Amino acid sequence: MPDVELHLPVVNTVLERHKGSAGALLPILHDIQERIGFVPDAAVPEIAHALNLSQAEVRGVISFYHDFRTAPPARHILRLCRAESCQSRGAEQLAAQLRERLQLDDHGSSADGSISLRPVYCLGACACSPAVELDGRVHARLSAERLDALLDACREDA
Ligand code: FES
């Protein structure tokens, strides 16, 4: 079944649920992402029509908030801390390592679908910088070798 047919009933259920609510765009987008895992492109015209917005306005909001995904999520979510303490203790070298291994600039998903990369601005582990969060678990005092091991583990469970 094509994705459009697969996702539209869910999108329509969500739109019906939020019908008549003021400021419904963000709750609708969150609701769709929670149910489908991402906001499919086929949802955009439906949302725009329901809220009397242009498709460009809806797409603008989706792209403005980096937490919204427009494709299915990768198997693992890796968030590299880019805040001050981590920056001063090696986060930029880790970012360069991620760029090289995943071919990603701070954001997006690896071509094999194993890892989605996102920046984060403090994980509450400043005393143990630099830090990343992998699938909700913080890894602190991260070295290049430990980051490599985490990436290898993510790719091995494919
Ligand atoms: S600055 Fe990175 S954990 Fe706080």
Side-chain angles (χ1 to χ4, degrees):
M1 189 185 292
D3 278 0
V4 175
E5 287 173 44
L6 199 69
H7 299 311
L8 279 185
V10 176
V11 171
N12 288 328
T13 300
V14 169
L15 291 174
E16 189 60 37
R17 189 169 169 228
H18 293 273
K19 199 171 171 183
S21 319
L25 180 54
L26 286 176
I28 285 170
L29 294 173
H30 282 292
D31 206 345
I32 290 172
Q33 181 157 291
E34 199 174 307
R35 290 165 187 244
I36 297 175
F38 64 105
V39 181
D41 196 57
V44 172
E46 306 297 320
I47 298 168
H49 180 72
L51 300 181
N52 201 20
L53 297 169
S54 70
Q55 292 186 34
E57 287 171 301
V58 175
R59 286 198 170 89
V61 170
I62 292 169
S63 62
F64 180 79
Y65 294 101
H66 287 151
D67 277 344
F68 291 126
R69 292 183 293 270
T70 55
R75 292 188 302 281
H76 301 281
I77 309 287
L78 181 68
R79 304 197 308 158
L80 172 64
C81 180
R82 305 307 300 267
E84 198 172 317
S85 174
C86 287
Q87 283 294 84
S88 69
R89 303 190 67 184
E92 191 45 52
Q93 289 92 318
L94 297 178
Q97 186 178 348
L98 289 170
R99 267 194 296 276
E100 191 180 317
R101 279 209 54 182
L102 303 177
Q103 305 296 307
L104 293 174
D105 256 342
D106 274 357
H107 243 280
S109 297
S110 58
D112 65 0
S114 64
I115 301 171
S116 277
L117 182 62
R118 307 232 181 99
V120 63
Y121 296 91
C122 197
L123 291 163
C126 316
C128 308
S129 298
V132 300
E133 181 191 84
L134 178 62
D135 299 331
R137 182 167 169 219
V138 173
H139 298 265
R141 291 199 176 98
L142 201 68
S143 63
E145 293 74 25
R146 285 187 55 220
L147 179 58
D148 263 337
L150 289 176
L151 296 175
D152 289 344
C154 288
R155 291 192 145 162
E156 277 166 14
D157 72 357

